[in-house]
Each structure stands twice: as C-alpha cells, then as structure tokens.
Amino acid sequence: MKKIAFYDWTIHYPDHLTAVKDDTEKKMVFLEQTIEFKGIICIDENDELQIKPTWDCVIIINAKNKSVTVRDAEDVVGLP
C-alpha cells in the first residue's frame, strides 16, 4: 500500500494506483497504470471529505485518525 497526505487526512491506496492531487480544486484522482480513471476524493465547500469511487472497491474511513484506506474489493476477505 502507498500513502499520501491529503490536507489533514492520510490516504492509503493500492500500489498499482497513482494518486494525482490538484491543490487548487482540493481534489485527488486515482488512476491505474493504463491511465484508467478509478475514483476521486475531494474537500467540498463545507470542508467535508467526499469520496466518489468508480470501481469495485472497499473504502475504510477512520475519522478519529483522519485516515482513508482504499482497497480493491477482491483483496478484502469476508465480503459477499
């Protein structure tokens, strides 16, 4: 897993993805090596974190630690 700071959040994501952050728009997108768009996170006008996945994934949010972990669904044991 890789990790990157996103304002006061820490984002963890699979090694095969690339995170691209746009500080002007307060957004970060995730791309696969094939430049396929995989999802976006952003800080909205109310300073709330928004997550818009576009692929089969599991997103784990730890609000206390301000940490978000993105996992491929097939890598998470115990899901239907």
Side-chain angles (χ1 to χ4, degrees), residues 1 14-17 32 38 55-58 70-77 79:
M1 294 290 273
D15 290 333
H16 68 278
L17 296 183
E32 274 199 289
K38 296 307 239 176
W55 74 108
D56 191 18
C57 69
V58 174
V70 177
R71 305 283 306 263
D72 291 321
E74 62 268 9
D75 292 342
V76 179
V77 177
L79 285 179

Side-chain angles (χ1 to χ4, degrees), residues 2-73:
K2 296 180 188 175
K3 73 177 180 177
I4 188 170
F6 186 68
Y7 301 94
D8 54 348
W9 289 82
T10 300
I11 311 300
H12 304 266
Y13 57 100
D15 290 333
H16 68 278
L17 296 183
T18 300
V20 180
K21 188 165 81 169
D22 181 337
D23 289 320
T24 304
E25 296 293 320
K26 292 187 173 180
K27 293 181 180 179
M28 183 183 324
V29 298
F30 295 96
L31 304 171
E32 274 199 289
Q33 294 174 354
T34 58
I35 313 299
E36 181 181 344
F37 177 70
K38 296 307 239 176
I40 185 171
I41 61 174
C42 66
I43 304 293
D44 69 12
E45 61 276 354
N46 297 315
D47 263 354
E48 294 180 327
L49 181 70
Q50 290 188 15
I51 303 170
K52 300 169 189 165
T54 60
W55 74 108
D56 191 18
C57 69
V58 174
I59 299 171
I60 303 158
I61 301 169
N62 184 324
K64 181 179 177 183
N65 295 330
K66 291 209 168 198
S67 174
V68 175
T69 302
V70 177
R71 305 283 306 263
D72 291 321

